[in-house]
Amino acid sequence: MITLTPLASQAIQEIMRQQDLPATAALRVGVTKEGCEGSATQFRYVLGFDPDPAAPSDHVLESEGLTVVVDNESLPHLDGLQLDVRQEFGGARFLFRNPRATHSCGCGHTFSEEDPDPEQNEGETRS
C-alpha cells in the first residue's frame, strides 16, 4: 500500500492544475535501479503523471482522492511508502517515508534495502 499525506495530495493536485492535466490523470510512482554515486544506494524514486489508463501489470491504488499507479517491479520496493511534502523556500519538496529503506542518500530521492539473508544463495536448494 502506498499512501499520500493530505499536504502531498494538495501539492500534487496543484501541479496537475498547473500542467493542465485531466482530472483522470494518475500519479505514477516507481523506482529505477540507480542510486546516487558515492552513497551506496540501490534505487531512485521516480514520480510522474500518467494520463493513460494503467497497464494490466500495474497496481492501481487510491489515496487522498488521487489515483496512484505503480508498476509490478517497483511495488515490492515501495510497499508501505508514505509520500509527504515539505514547503520550502522556492517550492515544495517531496519526502519519501519508506519502511523498506535501510539507507537513504542526503538528497532523499535514493535508497537501499536490507541485504538478503546471507545464509541463502540464489539458485541454491536445500533438502
Side-chain angles (χ1 to χ4, degrees):
M1 180 66 133
I2 296 172
T3 58
L4 305 174
T5 65
L7 285 175
S9 176
Q10 290 171 2
I12 292 165
Q13 289 177 35
E14 179 60 27
I15 293 168
M16 290 175 68
R17 277 192 291 278
Q18 290 173 357
Q19 294 185 7
D20 200 26
L21 293 170
T24 56
L27 175 67
R28 183 168 285 277
V29 182
V31 297
T32 60
K33 292 182 180 179
E34 59 178 307
C36 284
E37 190 173 322
S39 72
T41 54
Q42 301 169 291
F43 302 102
R44 178 176 301 277
Y45 296 108
V46 179
L47 293 178
F49 294 102
D50 194 345
D52 299 322
S57 61
D58 286 336
H59 297 268
V60 180
L61 313 162
E62 297 286 328
S63 182
E64 292 294 322
L66 292 173
T67 302
V68 179
V69 179
V70 183
D71 65 88
N72 201 34
E73 288 183 22
S74 296
L75 188 63
H77 307 290
L78 299 174
D79 190 29
L81 176 75
Q82 181 188 55
L83 185 61
D84 198 2
V85 70
R86 180 183 325 161
Q87 296 296 328
E88 295 181 346
F89 185 71
R93 177 179 176 198
F94 285 100
L95 304 172
F96 300 90
R97 295 189 176 114
N98 187 346
R100 302 191 57 78
T102 57
H103 172 71
S104 295
C105 180
C107 73
H109 294 274
T110 64
F111 70 100
S112 292
E113 294 178 342
E114 187 172 305
D115 289 333
D117 184 351
E119 298 275 326
Q120 296 177 350
N121 292 323
E122 270 187 56
E124 183 178 298
T125 56
R126 296 180 185 202
S127 41

